Amino acid sequence: MLLPDYKKARSRGHEEVQKEKYEIPKKYEKIGKGKTYYVKTYGCQMNEHDTENIKAMLEQLGFSECDSYENSDLVLLNTCSIRENAHNKAFGMLGRLKHLKEENPNLLVGVCGCMAQEEGVVKEIMNHYRFVNFVFGTHNIHRLPEVLYESIHEKKQEIEVYSKEGNIIEDMPVKRANSFKAYVNIIYGCDKFCTYCIVPYTRGKQRSRAMDDILKEVKELISEGYQEVTLLGQNVNAYGKDLKDGYGLSDLLEEVAKTGIPRIRFMTSHPWDFTDEMIDVIAKYDNIMPSIHLPVQSGSNRILKLMGRRYTREEYLTLFHKMKERIPRVTISTDIIVGFPTETEEDFQETVDLVEECKFDNAFSFIFSPREGTAAAKIKDDTSEEEKQERLYRLNEVLNNYFLMNHQKMVGSIVPVLVEGSNASMKTSLYGYTDTNVLINFDGDTSLIGKIIPVKITEAKTWSIDGELVKETSKE
Ligand code: 5AD
Ligand code: SF4
């Protein structure tokens, strides 16, 4: 048994991160033979991508995927800790699984992901969710076969969570959710320690993957026909800071662009690490999509300081306008937290003012959620829940207005769209994303799915646009 320890998770050692190759030991190869699995994923793209590795590992063990958890032999929850809401959802699901397990005692239940890295969560599972068979964390996903084997053969609750990140594991198997767009990890962990955020504890210290390994993966994806890669990390702009070869995100973006993959996206960016070189590279290459997610979190300098964000409102705005000037057609989206401890109506108004200046193309807005172990969770807060809800409502009104306004400006133009799928109910109704990352619906044949085609925009809505096919051969 190996339990999470926040003290260790918080520390940042200088030991060098090594590369390790994933190999599945022979003795585990048949433990899932004839059995089915279901993985429920909560949280961000990082977790979604981990699930792609987890699914492939389970299939190497002989399991096959089932589309409902009620009929599966193994149910694994890949959890998220970012806000209480995600936490509650996972525990709600565990409640349902408890009933299922009473009916079917052979059901195997596992918990992994960010919540598994939390001391309090693991204690709760040990004390009140004894039916959970196994738990592993974000640093030892590659140990899934061993952990599962132990829990089955020792007939006990097996808990193995590393508190400190280990090496970077290369060549993990992957079962991608999509056959034309793919996630590629470029950096793990985060060293920023924004005071509200649990991620530096659950995902460990910043570790970049070697550029050669990333390029190898992208080239393989190209040979398999992939059209789009999203380079992933908690803070992709810190890419390379821990490497000895002096590469940064701008170098990596340039090299990935040169592979010729039609579309490159990256997320998430911290404004503090965004350099001029990065902006120049994004502007220079047509296959780097002109769409940047740039979380601002607050428009008040006092709150930004309390959040430990390392930039001022003015610095954010300078960067924002520089991007808009230098990158043609760029869209910028953001994340905003309202109701951070001690936030006053004046602080909140500064956030609204900033939104009015930036007119964001998209945004995710949240009410502050105290996370155990983080610095912000200790700040006394006397704003009522009602007041916070009200601020969120007011902020969303302003944000939504700009989404619609920006979409209206697109009407009449022709944009490249990667067709992602069809709306199940209507056979001819396709959807996809523009290069600027706007969801678009239009009529067309399902044979277009997976292709990049020009679409003319006909109507604007708040969260999407409508369009029609342009009679032209596809760009592909
Ligand atoms: N409470 C509310 N929102 C949070 N986020 C991160 N931590 C918290 C928290 N404790 C938001 C931030 C971040 C996004 C992924 O989630 O806005 O950018
Ligand atoms: Fe949730 Fe953050 Fe973990 Fe992603 S990294 S799953 S957002 S806690």
Side-chain angles (χ1 to χ4, degrees), residues 212-270:
D212 285 349
D213 292 323
I214 298 168
L215 292 175
K216 186 171 146 241
E217 187 173 344
V218 173
K219 285 175 188 161
E220 276 166 16
L221 290 165
I222 295 174
S223 70
E224 290 164 25
Y226 278 82
Q227 301 288 311
E228 180 177 301
V229 288
T230 301
L231 308 179
L232 281 185
Q234 300 302 341
N235 172 19
V236 289
N237 294 60
Y239 175 77
K241 288 194 173 174
D242 55 311
L243 295 176
K244 290 211 180 80
D245 44 23
Y247 297 133
L249 182 67
S250 53
D251 306 292
L252 178 70
L253 278 175
E254 182 145 34
E255 291 308 313
V256 177
K258 285 187 196 156
T259 65
I261 183 121
R263 287 186 162 201
I264 301 158
R265 300 189 187 279
F266 52 94
M267 70 183 312
T268 291
S269 292
H270 190 297

Short mmCIF file of all heavy atoms in Angstrom, two decimals, residues 212-270:
data_model
loop_
_atom_site.label_atom_id
_atom_site.label_comp_id
_atom_site.label_asym_id
_atom_site.label_seq_id
_atom_site.Cartn_x
_atom_site.Cartn_y
_atom_site.Cartn_z
N ASP A 212 12.34 15.18 -29.70
CA ASP A 212 12.39 14.07 -30.67
C ASP A 212 11.23 13.09 -30.47
O ASP A 212 10.67 12.58 -31.43
CB ASP A 212 13.70 13.29 -30.53
CG ASP A 212 14.84 14.08 -31.13
OD1 ASP A 212 14.56 15.08 -31.81
OD2 ASP A 212 16.00 13.70 -30.89
N ASP A 213 10.91 12.83 -29.20
CA ASP A 213 9.81 11.89 -28.93
C ASP A 213 8.47 12.47 -29.38
O ASP A 213 7.61 11.77 -29.89
CB ASP A 213 9.76 11.55 -27.43
CG ASP A 213 10.97 10.75 -26.99
OD1 ASP A 213 11.43 9.90 -27.78
OD2 ASP A 213 11.48 10.99 -25.88
N ILE A 214 8.32 13.78 -29.17
CA ILE A 214 7.07 14.44 -29.59
C ILE A 214 6.95 14.41 -31.11
O ILE A 214 5.91 14.05 -31.66
CB ILE A 214 7.04 15.91 -29.07
CG1 ILE A 214 7.06 15.92 -27.53
CG2 ILE A 214 5.82 16.65 -29.61
CD1 ILE A 214 7.32 17.28 -26.92
N LEU A 215 8.06 14.75 -31.78
CA LEU A 215 8.02 14.78 -33.25
C LEU A 215 7.77 13.39 -33.82
O LEU A 215 7.04 13.24 -34.81
CB LEU A 215 9.32 15.37 -33.80
CG LEU A 215 9.52 16.86 -33.49
CD1 LEU A 215 10.88 17.33 -33.96
CD2 LEU A 215 8.41 17.70 -34.14
N LYS A 216 8.36 12.38 -33.18
CA LYS A 216 8.16 11.00 -33.64
C LYS A 216 6.66 10.66 -33.56
O LYS A 216 6.08 10.09 -34.49
CB LYS A 216 8.98 10.06 -32.75
CG LYS A 216 8.96 8.63 -33.20
CD LYS A 216 9.97 7.80 -32.40
CE LYS A 216 9.45 6.41 -32.21
NZ LYS A 216 9.25 5.97 -30.86
N GLU A 217 6.05 11.05 -32.44
CA GLU A 217 4.61 10.75 -32.28
C GLU A 217 3.78 11.49 -33.34
O GLU A 217 2.88 10.92 -33.94
CB GLU A 217 4.16 11.14 -30.86
CG GLU A 217 2.72 10.69 -30.58
CD GLU A 217 2.29 10.91 -29.13
OE1 GLU A 217 3.15 11.13 -28.25
OE2 GLU A 217 1.07 10.87 -28.89
N VAL A 218 4.13 12.77 -33.57
CA VAL A 218 3.36 13.54 -34.56
C VAL A 218 3.51 12.92 -35.96
O VAL A 218 2.54 12.78 -36.70
CB VAL A 218 3.80 15.03 -34.57
CG1 VAL A 218 3.12 15.79 -35.71
CG2 VAL A 218 3.49 15.69 -33.23
N LYS A 219 4.73 12.50 -36.29
CA LYS A 219 4.94 11.90 -37.62
C LYS A 219 4.17 10.60 -37.77
O LYS A 219 3.62 10.31 -38.84
CB LYS A 219 6.44 11.70 -37.87
CG LYS A 219 7.13 13.03 -38.17
CD LYS A 219 8.63 12.89 -38.29
CE LYS A 219 9.26 14.28 -38.40
NZ LYS A 219 10.68 14.27 -38.07
N GLU A 220 4.11 9.83 -36.70
CA GLU A 220 3.32 8.59 -36.76
C GLU A 220 1.84 8.91 -37.01
O GLU A 220 1.16 8.27 -37.79
CB GLU A 220 3.43 7.81 -35.44
CG GLU A 220 4.67 6.94 -35.39
CD GLU A 220 4.97 6.45 -33.96
OE1 GLU A 220 4.07 6.53 -33.09
OE2 GLU A 220 6.11 6.02 -33.75
N LEU A 221 1.38 9.96 -36.31
CA LEU A 221 -0.02 10.36 -36.48
C LEU A 221 -0.29 10.79 -37.92
O LEU A 221 -1.33 10.46 -38.49
CB LEU A 221 -0.38 11.49 -35.49
CG LEU A 221 -0.45 11.04 -34.02
CD1 LEU A 221 -0.43 12.25 -33.08
CD2 LEU A 221 -1.71 10.22 -33.77
N ILE A 222 0.65 11.51 -38.50
CA ILE A 222 0.49 11.95 -39.90
C ILE A 222 0.38 10.71 -40.79
O ILE A 222 -0.51 10.62 -41.65
CB ILE A 222 1.68 12.83 -40.35
CG1 ILE A 222 1.70 14.13 -39.55
CG2 ILE A 222 1.59 13.12 -41.86
CD1 ILE A 222 2.92 15.00 -39.81
N SER A 223 1.25 9.73 -40.54
CA SER A 223 1.22 8.55 -41.42
C SER A 223 -0.08 7.76 -41.24
O SER A 223 -0.48 7.02 -42.12
CB SER A 223 2.45 7.67 -41.18
OG SER A 223 2.32 7.06 -39.92
N GLU A 224 -0.72 7.94 -40.10
CA GLU A 224 -2.02 7.27 -39.90
C GLU A 224 -3.18 8.11 -40.41
O GLU A 224 -4.34 7.75 -40.23
CB GLU A 224 -2.21 6.97 -38.40
CG GLU A 224 -1.27 5.89 -37.88
CD GLU A 224 -1.19 5.87 -36.35
OE1 GLU A 224 -2.15 6.31 -35.69
OE2 GLU A 224 -0.14 5.44 -35.83
N GLY A 225 -2.89 9.27 -40.97
CA GLY A 225 -3.94 10.09 -41.57
C GLY A 225 -4.53 11.15 -40.66
O GLY A 225 -5.57 11.75 -40.98
N TYR A 226 -3.90 11.40 -39.52
CA TYR A 226 -4.45 12.42 -38.61
C TYR A 226 -4.32 13.82 -39.21
O TYR A 226 -3.34 14.13 -39.89
CB TYR A 226 -3.74 12.35 -37.24
CG TYR A 226 -4.34 11.26 -36.38
CD1 TYR A 226 -3.95 9.93 -36.52
CD2 TYR A 226 -5.34 11.55 -35.46
CE1 TYR A 226 -4.52 8.92 -35.77
CE2 TYR A 226 -5.92 10.55 -34.70
CZ TYR A 226 -5.51 9.25 -34.86
OH TYR A 226 -6.10 8.25 -34.11
N GLN A 227 -5.34 14.65 -38.96
CA GLN A 227 -5.40 16.01 -39.50
C GLN A 227 -5.01 17.07 -38.46
O GLN A 227 -4.65 18.17 -38.80
CB GLN A 227 -6.84 16.34 -39.96
CG GLN A 227 -7.39 15.41 -41.00
CD GLN A 227 -6.73 15.66 -42.33
OE1 GLN A 227 -6.61 16.79 -42.79
NE2 GLN A 227 -6.26 14.61 -42.96
N GLU A 228 -5.16 16.71 -37.19
CA GLU A 228 -4.99 17.74 -36.15
C GLU A 228 -4.33 17.15 -34.91
O GLU A 228 -4.69 16.05 -34.48
CB GLU A 228 -6.38 18.30 -35.78
CG GLU A 228 -6.33 19.38 -34.72
CD GLU A 228 -7.71 19.97 -34.42
OE1 GLU A 228 -8.35 20.50 -35.35
OE2 GLU A 228 -8.13 19.88 -33.25
N VAL A 229 -3.36 17.88 -34.36
CA VAL A 229 -2.82 17.48 -33.05
C VAL A 229 -3.04 18.64 -32.08
O VAL A 229 -2.92 19.81 -32.45
CB VAL A 229 -1.31 17.14 -33.07
CG1 VAL A 229 -1.05 15.83 -33.76
CG2 VAL A 229 -0.46 18.26 -33.65
N THR A 230 -3.37 18.30 -30.84
CA THR A 230 -3.40 19.30 -29.78
C THR A 230 -2.26 18.98 -28.82
O THR A 230 -2.22 17.89 -28.23
CB THR A 230 -4.74 19.29 -29.03
OG1 THR A 230 -5.78 19.55 -29.97
CG2 THR A 230 -4.79 20.34 -27.94
N LEU A 231 -1.32 19.90 -28.73
CA LEU A 231 -0.18 19.71 -27.84
C LEU A 231 -0.64 20.06 -26.42
O LEU A 231 -1.16 21.16 -26.18
CB LEU A 231 0.99 20.60 -28.27
CG LEU A 231 1.39 20.48 -29.75
CD1 LEU A 231 2.53 21.43 -30.08
CD2 LEU A 231 1.78 19.04 -30.10
N LEU A 232 -0.48 19.12 -25.52
CA LEU A 232 -1.10 19.25 -24.20
C LEU A 232 -0.11 19.47 -23.07
O LEU A 232 0.96 18.87 -23.05
CB LEU A 232 -1.84 17.96 -23.84
CG LEU A 232 -3.19 17.64 -24.42
CD1 LEU A 232 -3.71 16.37 -23.77
CD2 LEU A 232 -4.17 18.79 -24.21
N GLY A 233 -0.54 20.28 -22.12
CA GLY A 233 0.20 20.44 -20.88
C GLY A 233 -0.58 21.36 -19.97
O GLY A 233 -1.43 22.12 -20.44
N GLN A 234 -0.31 21.32 -18.67
CA GLN A 234 -0.99 22.24 -17.74
C GLN A 234 -0.55 23.66 -18.05
O GLN A 234 -1.31 24.59 -17.90
CB GLN A 234 -0.66 21.89 -16.29
CG GLN A 234 -1.07 20.50 -15.88
CD GLN A 234 -2.55 20.27 -16.07
OE1 GLN A 234 -3.32 21.23 -16.17
NE2 GLN A 234 -2.96 19.02 -16.13
N ASN A 235 0.71 23.81 -18.46
CA ASN A 235 1.19 25.11 -18.90
C ASN A 235 2.19 24.86 -20.03
O ASN A 235 3.39 24.72 -19.80
CB ASN A 235 1.86 25.86 -17.73
CG ASN A 235 2.55 27.12 -18.21
OD1 ASN A 235 2.27 27.63 -19.30
ND2 ASN A 235 3.47 27.63 -17.41
N VAL A 236 1.68 24.80 -21.25
CA VAL A 236 2.54 24.44 -22.39
C VAL A 236 3.63 25.48 -22.63
O VAL A 236 4.68 25.17 -23.18
CB VAL A 236 1.75 24.22 -23.70
CG1 VAL A 236 0.94 22.95 -23.65
CG2 VAL A 236 0.89 25.42 -24.05
N ASN A 237 3.40 26.71 -22.20
CA ASN A 237 4.38 27.76 -22.46
C ASN A 237 5.67 27.56 -21.67
O ASN A 237 6.68 28.18 -21.98
CB ASN A 237 3.78 29.14 -22.19
CG ASN A 237 2.69 29.42 -23.19
OD1 ASN A 237 1.72 28.67 -23.25
ND2 ASN A 237 2.86 30.45 -23.99
N ALA A 238 5.61 26.71 -20.65
CA ALA A 238 6.84 26.43 -19.88
C ALA A 238 7.62 25.29 -20.55
O ALA A 238 8.66 24.87 -20.02
CB ALA A 238 6.47 26.05 -18.45
N TYR A 239 7.16 24.84 -21.70
CA TYR A 239 7.82 23.70 -22.35
C TYR A 239 9.33 23.97 -22.51
O TYR A 239 9.73 25.04 -22.96
CB TYR A 239 7.23 23.40 -23.75
CG TYR A 239 8.01 22.30 -24.44
CD1 TYR A 239 7.81 20.98 -24.07
CD2 TYR A 239 9.01 22.58 -25.36
CE1 TYR A 239 8.57 19.95 -24.63
CE2 TYR A 239 9.78 21.57 -25.93
CZ TYR A 239 9.55 20.26 -25.55
OH TYR A 239 10.32 19.26 -26.09
N GLY A 240 10.11 23.00 -22.11
CA GLY A 240 11.56 23.07 -22.33
C GLY A 240 12.35 23.69 -21.20
O GLY A 240 13.57 23.53 -21.15
N LYS A 241 11.67 24.36 -20.27
CA LYS A 241 12.42 25.06 -19.21
C LYS A 241 13.24 24.09 -18.36
O LYS A 241 14.23 24.48 -17.76
CB LYS A 241 11.46 25.84 -18.31
CG LYS A 241 10.91 27.05 -19.03
CD LYS A 241 10.24 28.02 -18.11
CE LYS A 241 9.88 29.26 -18.92
NZ LYS A 241 9.11 30.22 -18.19
N ASP A 242 12.80 22.85 -18.31
CA ASP A 242 13.51 21.85 -17.51
C ASP A 242 14.46 21.00 -18.37
O ASP A 242 15.06 20.08 -17.87
CB ASP A 242 12.50 20.95 -16.81
CG ASP A 242 11.53 20.31 -17.80
OD1 ASP A 242 10.96 21.04 -18.64
OD2 ASP A 242 11.35 19.08 -17.75
N LEU A 243 14.55 21.29 -19.65
CA LEU A 243 15.41 20.49 -20.52
C LEU A 243 16.77 21.18 -20.67
O LEU A 243 16.87 22.39 -20.56
CB LEU A 243 14.79 20.33 -21.92
CG LEU A 243 13.48 19.56 -22.01
CD1 LEU A 243 12.96 19.59 -23.45
CD2 LEU A 243 13.65 18.12 -21.55
N LYS A 244 17.79 20.37 -20.95
CA LYS A 244 19.14 20.96 -21.05
C LYS A 244 19.42 21.52 -22.45
O LYS A 244 20.34 22.28 -22.65
CB LYS A 244 20.18 19.91 -20.71
CG LYS A 244 20.16 19.53 -19.24
CD LYS A 244 21.56 19.13 -18.76
CE LYS A 244 21.56 18.74 -17.31
NZ LYS A 244 21.09 17.39 -17.08
N ASP A 245 18.61 21.11 -23.44
CA ASP A 245 18.97 21.48 -24.81
C ASP A 245 18.52 22.88 -25.23
O ASP A 245 18.73 23.28 -26.38
CB ASP A 245 18.47 20.43 -25.81
CG ASP A 245 17.05 20.01 -25.50
OD1 ASP A 245 16.37 20.79 -24.85
OD2 ASP A 245 16.65 18.90 -25.90
N GLY A 246 17.88 23.61 -24.31
CA GLY A 246 17.56 25.01 -24.59
C GLY A 246 16.36 25.25 -25.49
O GLY A 246 16.11 26.38 -25.90
N TYR A 247 15.59 24.22 -25.81
CA TYR A 247 14.39 24.42 -26.63
C TYR A 247 13.27 25.03 -25.80
O TYR A 247 13.13 24.74 -24.63
CB TYR A 247 13.85 23.09 -27.16
CG TYR A 247 14.75 22.34 -28.08
CD1 TYR A 247 14.97 20.98 -27.91
CD2 TYR A 247 15.37 22.99 -29.15
CE1 TYR A 247 15.80 20.27 -28.76
CE2 TYR A 247 16.19 22.28 -30.00
CZ TYR A 247 16.41 20.92 -29.80
OH TYR A 247 17.21 20.23 -30.64
N GLY A 248 12.44 25.82 -26.46
CA GLY A 248 11.24 26.34 -25.81
C GLY A 248 10.02 26.00 -26.66
O GLY A 248 10.17 25.34 -27.71
N LEU A 249 8.86 26.49 -26.26
CA LEU A 249 7.64 26.17 -27.01
C LEU A 249 7.72 26.70 -28.45
O LEU A 249 7.22 26.06 -29.37
CB LEU A 249 6.40 26.73 -26.30
CG LEU A 249 5.09 26.39 -27.01
CD1 LEU A 249 4.79 24.89 -26.97
CD2 LEU A 249 3.91 27.17 -26.42
N SER A 250 8.36 27.88 -28.63
CA SER A 250 8.40 28.42 -30.00
C SER A 250 9.18 27.47 -30.91
O SER A 250 8.77 27.23 -32.06
CB SER A 250 9.01 29.82 -30.02
OG SER A 250 10.25 29.81 -29.39
N ASP A 251 10.29 26.89 -30.41
CA ASP A 251 11.05 25.93 -31.23
C ASP A 251 10.21 24.70 -31.51
O ASP A 251 10.18 24.19 -32.64
CB ASP A 251 12.32 25.49 -30.49
CG ASP A 251 13.15 26.68 -30.06
OD1 ASP A 251 13.68 27.36 -30.94
OD2 ASP A 251 13.22 26.95 -28.84
N LEU A 252 9.54 24.21 -30.47
CA LEU A 252 8.74 23.00 -30.66
C LEU A 252 7.62 23.24 -31.66
O LEU A 252 7.40 22.45 -32.59
CB LEU A 252 8.16 22.54 -29.32
CG LEU A 252 7.27 21.30 -29.42
CD1 LEU A 252 8.10 20.06 -29.75
CD2 LEU A 252 6.49 21.06 -28.14
N LEU A 253 6.92 24.37 -31.50
CA LEU A 253 5.81 24.67 -32.42
C LEU A 253 6.32 24.72 -33.85
O LEU A 253 5.69 24.21 -34.78
CB LEU A 253 5.17 26.02 -32.06
CG LEU A 253 4.15 26.01 -30.92
CD1 LEU A 253 3.70 27.43 -30.61
CD2 LEU A 253 2.94 25.15 -31.26
N GLU A 254 7.48 25.34 -34.03
CA GLU A 254 8.03 25.48 -35.37
C GLU A 254 8.35 24.11 -35.96
O GLU A 254 8.01 23.82 -37.12
CB GLU A 254 9.29 26.35 -35.32
CG GLU A 254 9.89 26.58 -36.69
CD GLU A 254 10.51 27.98 -36.81
OE1 GLU A 254 11.04 28.50 -35.82
OE2 GLU A 254 10.45 28.53 -37.93
N GLU A 255 8.95 23.24 -35.16
CA GLU A 255 9.30 21.90 -35.66
C GLU A 255 8.04 21.09 -35.96
O GLU A 255 7.98 20.36 -36.95
CB GLU A 255 10.19 21.16 -34.66
CG GLU A 255 11.59 21.74 -34.51
CD GLU A 255 12.31 21.93 -35.85
OE1 GLU A 255 12.30 20.98 -36.66
OE2 GLU A 255 12.87 23.02 -36.08
N VAL A 256 7.05 21.20 -35.11
CA VAL A 256 5.80 20.46 -35.36
C VAL A 256 5.14 21.02 -36.63
O VAL A 256 4.64 20.27 -37.47
CB VAL A 256 4.84 20.52 -34.15
CG1 VAL A 256 3.53 19.80 -34.47
CG2 VAL A 256 5.47 19.88 -32.92
N ALA A 257 5.19 22.34 -36.79
CA ALA A 257 4.61 22.95 -37.99
C ALA A 257 5.29 22.41 -39.25
O ALA A 257 4.65 22.11 -40.25
CB ALA A 257 4.72 24.47 -37.93
N LYS A 258 6.61 22.23 -39.16
CA LYS A 258 7.37 21.77 -40.34
C LYS A 258 7.04 20.33 -40.71
O LYS A 258 7.35 19.90 -41.82
CB LYS A 258 8.87 21.91 -40.08
CG LYS A 258 9.36 23.34 -40.17
CD LYS A 258 10.87 23.33 -40.05
CE LYS A 258 11.44 24.68 -39.75
NZ LYS A 258 12.76 24.55 -39.11
N THR A 259 6.46 19.56 -39.80
CA THR A 259 6.09 18.18 -40.16
C THR A 259 4.98 18.19 -41.21
O THR A 259 4.74 17.19 -41.87
CB THR A 259 5.55 17.38 -38.95
OG1 THR A 259 4.33 17.99 -38.51
CG2 THR A 259 6.55 17.28 -37.82
N GLY A 260 4.27 19.32 -41.31
CA GLY A 260 3.22 19.44 -42.32
C GLY A 260 1.85 18.95 -41.87
O GLY A 260 0.90 18.96 -42.65
N ILE A 261 1.71 18.56 -40.61
CA ILE A 261 0.37 18.17 -40.13
C ILE A 261 -0.57 19.36 -40.36
O ILE A 261 -0.20 20.50 -40.09
CB ILE A 261 0.41 17.71 -38.64
CG1 ILE A 261 -0.98 17.24 -38.17
CG2 ILE A 261 0.88 18.81 -37.68
CD1 ILE A 261 -1.03 15.85 -37.68
N PRO A 262 -1.77 19.12 -40.91
CA PRO A 262 -2.60 20.26 -41.31
C PRO A 262 -3.00 21.22 -40.17
O PRO A 262 -3.11 22.41 -40.40
CB PRO A 262 -3.85 19.60 -41.90
CG PRO A 262 -3.38 18.26 -42.36
CD PRO A 262 -2.32 17.84 -41.39
N ARG A 263 -3.22 20.69 -38.96
CA ARG A 263 -3.67 21.58 -37.88
C ARG A 263 -2.93 21.31 -36.58
O ARG A 263 -2.87 20.16 -36.13
CB ARG A 263 -5.17 21.36 -37.60
CG ARG A 263 -6.06 21.91 -38.66
CD ARG A 263 -7.51 21.79 -38.24
NE ARG A 263 -8.31 22.68 -39.03
CZ ARG A 263 -9.50 23.12 -38.69
NH1 ARG A 263 -10.06 22.75 -37.56
NH2 ARG A 263 -10.16 23.95 -39.47
N ILE A 264 -2.46 22.39 -35.98
CA ILE A 264 -1.81 22.27 -34.67
C ILE A 264 -2.52 23.21 -33.69
O ILE A 264 -2.73 24.38 -33.98
CB ILE A 264 -0.32 22.69 -34.75
CG1 ILE A 264 0.41 21.79 -35.76
CG2 ILE A 264 0.34 22.62 -33.38
CD1 ILE A 264 1.68 22.43 -36.28
N ARG A 265 -2.89 22.64 -32.57
CA ARG A 265 -3.42 23.46 -31.46
C ARG A 265 -2.56 23.18 -30.24
O ARG A 265 -1.82 22.19 -30.21
CB ARG A 265 -4.88 23.10 -31.15
CG ARG A 265 -5.81 23.30 -32.33
CD ARG A 265 -7.27 23.15 -31.88
NE ARG A 265 -8.16 23.18 -33.02
CZ ARG A 265 -8.57 24.29 -33.63
NH1 ARG A 265 -8.16 25.47 -33.20
NH2 ARG A 265 -9.40 24.22 -34.65
N PHE A 266 -2.67 24.00 -29.22
CA PHE A 266 -1.91 23.76 -27.99
C PHE A 266 -2.71 24.35 -26.84
O PHE A 266 -3.41 25.34 -27.00
CB PHE A 266 -0.52 24.42 -28.07
CG PHE A 266 -0.56 25.86 -28.45
CD1 PHE A 266 -0.56 26.85 -27.47
CD2 PHE A 266 -0.63 26.24 -29.78
CE1 PHE A 266 -0.64 28.19 -27.81
CE2 PHE A 266 -0.72 27.58 -30.13
CZ PHE A 266 -0.71 28.55 -29.16
N MET A 267 -2.61 23.68 -25.69
CA MET A 267 -3.26 24.22 -24.50
C MET A 267 -2.77 23.52 -23.25
O MET A 267 -2.39 22.37 -23.34
CB MET A 267 -4.77 24.17 -24.61
CG MET A 267 -5.38 22.80 -24.56
SD MET A 267 -7.14 22.87 -24.78
CE MET A 267 -7.63 24.16 -23.65
N THR A 268 -2.74 24.24 -22.13
CA THR A 268 -3.16 25.59 -21.85
C THR A 268 -1.95 26.51 -21.71
O THR A 268 -0.90 26.06 -21.26
CB THR A 268 -4.00 25.61 -20.56
OG1 THR A 268 -5.22 24.96 -20.80
CG2 THR A 268 -4.29 27.02 -20.08
N SER A 269 -2.13 27.78 -22.02
CA SER A 269 -1.03 28.74 -21.94
C SER A 269 -1.15 29.60 -20.68
O SER A 269 -2.23 30.08 -20.37
CB SER A 269 -1.10 29.68 -23.14
OG SER A 269 -0.81 28.99 -24.32
N HIS A 270 -0.04 29.80 -20.01
CA HIS A 270 -0.02 30.77 -18.90
C HIS A 270 0.53 32.09 -19.46
O HIS A 270 1.60 32.10 -20.08
CB HIS A 270 0.89 30.25 -17.79
CG HIS A 270 0.79 31.05 -16.52
ND1 HIS A 270 1.15 32.38 -16.47
CD2 HIS A 270 0.35 30.73 -15.28
CE1 HIS A 270 0.94 32.83 -15.23
NE2 HIS A 270 0.46 31.84 -14.50
#
